[in-house]
Amino acid sequence: MRLFAAVLPPEEAVRELGAAVDALHRLPGADGLRWTGRPGWHFTLAFYGEVEEELTGPLADRLSRAARRTPPVPLALRGGGHFGGRALWAGVSGDVTTLRLLADRAEAAARRAGVPMGEHRRYRPHLTVARSRQAADFEAYVTALDDFAGCPWTAGELCLVRSNLPRSGVPGEQPRYETVARWALAGAGG
């Protein structure tokens, strides 16, 4: 299974960001971007890739432990940025330190469960809203998102999500994401 650990924003946060993203669709060049679907909006904490079936149980056990050790995280969607000319994203404000800690714990859970992980990179929280196959100039989009500030919310769950990649070959088809497990954040220790 192709899996990742994530925090999912609540519907209200998705609606607020959706209104801001709808306005981005009217900017020049927007039709050349691949916009991500709202049902798939998430903050990836750790990407695991293809995970062998026998490792999913140990991974789930480790993620459960990580969730129990991490307190709920106050967050708000805010602003935006880009990774080169390939991805446009919405940012986050709030307790980013604890969100990074949860990401580190989600990565460590996989390593301890025996899931092969690539090189460790410092976690940069973001929610991808568009991608480009060719280098794109995202400056106008980032500027348009500068004033975006969503309402505060509290992330209370760590989710294990399965990514089902498009198989139809239909242009614009989106991956489907299926939450296969959820654990409440409890903060029962460091």
Side-chain angles (χ1 to χ4, degrees):
M1 288 189 282
R2 186 177 171 90
L3 298 172
F4 60 90
V7 164
L8 307 178
E11 279 303 312
E12 180 60 27
V14 168
R15 272 193 299 277
E16 290 173 339
L17 179 59
V21 169
D22 286 347
L24 299 180
H25 286 254
R26 294 188 288 275
L27 293 175
D31 57 345
L33 300 176
R34 292 179 297 135
W35 296 91
T36 58
R38 290 178 184 145
W41 283 354
H42 61 271
F43 288 93
T44 300
L45 299 172
F47 180 74
Y48 305 131
E50 292 294 332
V51 176
E52 305 265 342
E53 187 72 34
E54 65 269 10
L55 296 179
T56 58
L59 175 60
D61 291 343
R62 297 285 182 172
L63 289 171
S64 173
R65 190 173 307 153
R68 285 193 310 268
R69 295 177 55 214
T70 308
V73 188
L75 300 170
L77 291 165
R78 166 172 247 134
H82 62 96
F83 294 126
R86 299 291 184 192
L88 173 67
W89 47 264
V92 66
S93 63
D95 189 357
V96 175
T97 300
T98 300
L99 189 60
R100 280 193 178 109
L101 174 64
L102 183 57
D104 288 346
R105 287 176 172 168
E107 181 178 318
R111 291 185 192 286
R112 290 185 183 117
V115 176
M117 298 293 289
E119 178 184 337
H120 173 75
R121 294 185 193 170
R122 179 164 167 78
Y123 179 67
R124 186 166 182 186
H126 66 281
L127 187 156
T128 303
V129 295
R131 291 185 177 86
S132 179
R133 289 195 198 312
Q134 301 172 3
D137 180 0
F138 288 120
E139 289 308 316
Y141 301 92
V142 173
T143 299
L145 286 172
D146 277 348
D147 293 331
F148 174 74
C151 290
W153 51 280
T154 299
E157 291 182 323
L158 170 61
C159 297
L160 182 61
V161 181
R162 180 177 185 172
S163 175
N164 299 293
L165 297 176
R167 298 196 187 277
S168 71
V170 174
E173 183 181 11
Q174 300 277 327
R176 286 183 307 100
Y177 299 114
E178 169 190 0
T179 302
V180 294
R182 300 173 184 267
W183 300 275
L185 300 181

PDB file of all heavy atoms in Angstrom, residues 33-37 133 166 168-175:
ATOM      1  N   LEU A  33      -2.099  24.963 -14.755  1.00  0.00           N
ATOM      2  CA  LEU A  33      -1.697  24.287 -13.523  1.00  0.00           C
ATOM      3  C   LEU A  33      -2.610  23.102 -13.238  1.00  0.00           C
ATOM      4  O   LEU A  33      -3.752  23.065 -13.684  1.00  0.00           O
ATOM      5  CB  LEU A  33      -1.751  25.266 -12.342  1.00  0.00           C
ATOM      6  CG  LEU A  33      -0.858  26.497 -12.460  1.00  0.00           C
ATOM      7  CD1 LEU A  33      -1.087  27.429 -11.275  1.00  0.00           C
ATOM      8  CD2 LEU A  33       0.608  26.100 -12.564  1.00  0.00           C
ATOM      9  N   ARG A  34      -2.102  22.152 -12.486  1.00  0.00           N
ATOM     10  CA  ARG A  34      -2.910  21.017 -12.027  1.00  0.00           C
ATOM     11  C   ARG A  34      -3.306  21.316 -10.581  1.00  0.00           C
ATOM     12  O   ARG A  34      -2.480  21.237  -9.677  1.00  0.00           O
ATOM     13  CB  ARG A  34      -2.115  19.707 -12.113  1.00  0.00           C
ATOM     14  CG  ARG A  34      -1.845  19.298 -13.547  1.00  0.00           C
ATOM     15  CD  ARG A  34      -1.027  18.016 -13.637  1.00  0.00           C
ATOM     16  NE  ARG A  34       0.287  18.233 -13.022  1.00  0.00           N
ATOM     17  CZ  ARG A  34       0.887  17.397 -12.194  1.00  0.00           C
ATOM     18  NH1 ARG A  34       0.323  16.257 -11.870  1.00  0.00           N
ATOM     19  NH2 ARG A  34       2.073  17.666 -11.696  1.00  0.00           N
ATOM     20  N   TRP A  35      -4.560  21.697 -10.392  1.00  0.00           N
ATOM     21  CA  TRP A  35      -5.067  22.081  -9.071  1.00  0.00           C
ATOM     22  C   TRP A  35      -5.443  20.832  -8.295  1.00  0.00           C
ATOM     23  O   TRP A  35      -6.079  19.924  -8.836  1.00  0.00           O
ATOM     24  CB  TRP A  35      -6.266  23.013  -9.225  1.00  0.00           C
ATOM     25  CG  TRP A  35      -5.858  24.290  -9.883  1.00  0.00           C
ATOM     26  CD1 TRP A  35      -5.857  24.573 -11.221  1.00  0.00           C
ATOM     27  CD2 TRP A  35      -5.308  25.446  -9.236  1.00  0.00           C
ATOM     28  NE1 TRP A  35      -5.363  25.828 -11.437  1.00  0.00           N
ATOM     29  CE2 TRP A  35      -5.015  26.397 -10.245  1.00  0.00           C
ATOM     30  CE3 TRP A  35      -5.048  25.770  -7.915  1.00  0.00           C
ATOM     31  CZ2 TRP A  35      -4.468  27.640  -9.956  1.00  0.00           C
ATOM     32  CZ3 TRP A  35      -4.513  27.016  -7.621  1.00  0.00           C
ATOM     33  CH2 TRP A  35      -4.227  27.938  -8.640  1.00  0.00           C
ATOM     34  N   THR A  36      -5.036  20.774  -7.045  1.00  0.00           N
ATOM     35  CA  THR A  36      -5.367  19.611  -6.222  1.00  0.00           C
ATOM     36  C   THR A  36      -6.823  19.706  -5.767  1.00  0.00           C
ATOM     37  O   THR A  36      -7.353  20.793  -5.591  1.00  0.00           O
ATOM     38  CB  THR A  36      -4.439  19.518  -4.987  1.00  0.00           C
ATOM     39  OG1 THR A  36      -4.565  20.709  -4.220  1.00  0.00           O
ATOM     40  CG2 THR A  36      -2.990  19.322  -5.407  1.00  0.00           C
ATOM     41  N   GLY A  37      -7.444  18.563  -5.605  1.00  0.00           N
ATOM     42  CA  GLY A  37      -8.850  18.523  -5.202  1.00  0.00           C
ATOM     43  C   GLY A  37      -9.014  18.721  -3.704  1.00  0.00           C
ATOM     44  O   GLY A  37      -8.216  18.220  -2.910  1.00  0.00           O
ATOM     45  N   ARG A 133       3.747  20.741 -14.326  1.00  0.00           N
ATOM     46  CA  ARG A 133       4.691  19.810 -14.947  1.00  0.00           C
ATOM     47  C   ARG A 133       5.942  20.546 -15.419  1.00  0.00           C
ATOM     48  O   ARG A 133       7.027  20.001 -15.423  1.00  0.00           O
ATOM     49  CB  ARG A 133       4.037  19.107 -16.135  1.00  0.00           C
ATOM     50  CG  ARG A 133       2.975  18.104 -15.743  1.00  0.00           C
ATOM     51  CD  ARG A 133       2.636  17.204 -16.921  1.00  0.00           C
ATOM     52  NE  ARG A 133       1.426  16.457 -16.930  1.00  0.00           N
ATOM     53  CZ  ARG A 133       0.908  15.701 -15.994  1.00  0.00           C
ATOM     54  NH1 ARG A 133       1.467  15.643 -14.839  1.00  0.00           N
ATOM     55  NH2 ARG A 133      -0.198  15.023 -16.167  1.00  0.00           N
ATOM     56  N   PRO A 166      -4.080   7.704  -9.751  1.00  0.00           N
ATOM     57  CA  PRO A 166      -4.972   7.581 -10.911  1.00  0.00           C
ATOM     58  C   PRO A 166      -4.495   6.464 -11.839  1.00  0.00           C
ATOM     59  O   PRO A 166      -3.301   6.285 -12.034  1.00  0.00           O
ATOM     60  CB  PRO A 166      -4.840   8.936 -11.612  1.00  0.00           C
ATOM     61  CG  PRO A 166      -4.245   9.855 -10.613  1.00  0.00           C
ATOM     62  CD  PRO A 166      -3.455   9.016  -9.672  1.00  0.00           C
ATOM     63  N   SER A 168      -6.768   5.634 -14.739  1.00  0.00           N
ATOM     64  CA  SER A 168      -7.599   5.663 -15.944  1.00  0.00           C
ATOM     65  C   SER A 168      -6.903   6.306 -17.138  1.00  0.00           C
ATOM     66  O   SER A 168      -7.288   6.072 -18.272  1.00  0.00           O
ATOM     67  CB  SER A 168      -8.895   6.423 -15.666  1.00  0.00           C
ATOM     68  OG  SER A 168      -8.613   7.804 -15.535  1.00  0.00           O
ATOM     69  N   GLY A 169      -5.915   7.152 -16.851  1.00  0.00           N
ATOM     70  CA  GLY A 169      -5.270   7.878 -17.937  1.00  0.00           C
ATOM     71  C   GLY A 169      -6.044   9.104 -18.376  1.00  0.00           C
ATOM     72  O   GLY A 169      -5.661   9.796 -19.309  1.00  0.00           O
ATOM     73  N   VAL A 170      -7.164   9.402 -17.704  1.00  0.00           N
ATOM     74  CA  VAL A 170      -7.974  10.566 -18.029  1.00  0.00           C
ATOM     75  C   VAL A 170      -7.240  11.814 -17.531  1.00  0.00           C
ATOM     76  O   VAL A 170      -6.875  11.893 -16.357  1.00  0.00           O
ATOM     77  CB  VAL A 170      -9.375  10.472 -17.379  1.00  0.00           C
ATOM     78  CG1 VAL A 170     -10.163  11.740 -17.591  1.00  0.00           C
ATOM     79  CG2 VAL A 170     -10.120   9.264 -17.904  1.00  0.00           C
ATOM     80  N   PRO A 171      -6.994  12.793 -18.418  1.00  0.00           N
ATOM     81  CA  PRO A 171      -6.305  14.003 -17.980  1.00  0.00           C
ATOM     82  C   PRO A 171      -7.049  14.679 -16.826  1.00  0.00           C
ATOM     83  O   PRO A 171      -8.267  14.758 -16.820  1.00  0.00           O
ATOM     84  CB  PRO A 171      -6.313  14.899 -19.223  1.00  0.00           C
ATOM     85  CG  PRO A 171      -6.487  13.963 -20.368  1.00  0.00           C
ATOM     86  CD  PRO A 171      -7.316  12.821 -19.842  1.00  0.00           C
ATOM     87  N   GLY A 172      -6.280  15.122 -15.829  1.00  0.00           N
ATOM     88  CA  GLY A 172      -6.863  15.819 -14.699  1.00  0.00           C
ATOM     89  C   GLY A 172      -7.376  14.926 -13.585  1.00  0.00           C
ATOM     90  O   GLY A 172      -7.819  15.421 -12.556  1.00  0.00           O
ATOM     91  N   GLU A 173      -7.318  13.591 -13.791  1.00  0.00           N
ATOM     92  CA  GLU A 173      -7.784  12.699 -12.733  1.00  0.00           C
ATOM     93  C   GLU A 173      -6.891  12.874 -11.500  1.00  0.00           C
ATOM     94  O   GLU A 173      -5.672  12.947 -11.612  1.00  0.00           O
ATOM     95  CB  GLU A 173      -7.767  11.246 -13.193  1.00  0.00           C
ATOM     96  CG  GLU A 173      -8.312  10.303 -12.141  1.00  0.00           C
ATOM     97  CD  GLU A 173      -8.278   8.842 -12.557  1.00  0.00           C
ATOM     98  OE1 GLU A 173      -7.656   8.506 -13.573  1.00  0.00           O
ATOM     99  OE2 GLU A 173      -8.863   8.035 -11.834  1.00  0.00           O
ATOM    100  N   GLN A 174      -7.506  12.942 -10.332  1.00  0.00           N
ATOM    101  CA  GLN A 174      -6.802  13.174  -9.068  1.00  0.00           C
ATOM    102  C   GLN A 174      -6.551  11.849  -8.346  1.00  0.00           C
ATOM    103  O   GLN A 174      -7.335  10.909  -8.476  1.00  0.00           O
ATOM    104  CB  GLN A 174      -7.665  14.053  -8.147  1.00  0.00           C
ATOM    105  CG  GLN A 174      -7.999  15.408  -8.703  1.00  0.00           C
ATOM    106  CD  GLN A 174      -6.883  16.400  -8.483  1.00  0.00           C
ATOM    107  OE1 GLN A 174      -6.166  16.349  -7.501  1.00  0.00           O
ATOM    108  NE2 GLN A 174      -6.730  17.314  -9.421  1.00  0.00           N
ATOM    109  N   PRO A 175      -5.489  11.792  -7.536  1.00  0.00           N
ATOM    110  CA  PRO A 175      -5.340  10.628  -6.657  1.00  0.00           C
ATOM    111  C   PRO A 175      -6.516  10.594  -5.678  1.00  0.00           C
ATOM    112  O   PRO A 175      -7.093  11.628  -5.366  1.00  0.00           O
ATOM    113  CB  PRO A 175      -4.034  10.892  -5.900  1.00  0.00           C
ATOM    114  CG  PRO A 175      -3.376  12.042  -6.567  1.00  0.00           C
ATOM    115  CD  PRO A 175      -4.418  12.758  -7.367  1.00  0.00           C
TER     116      PRO A 175
END
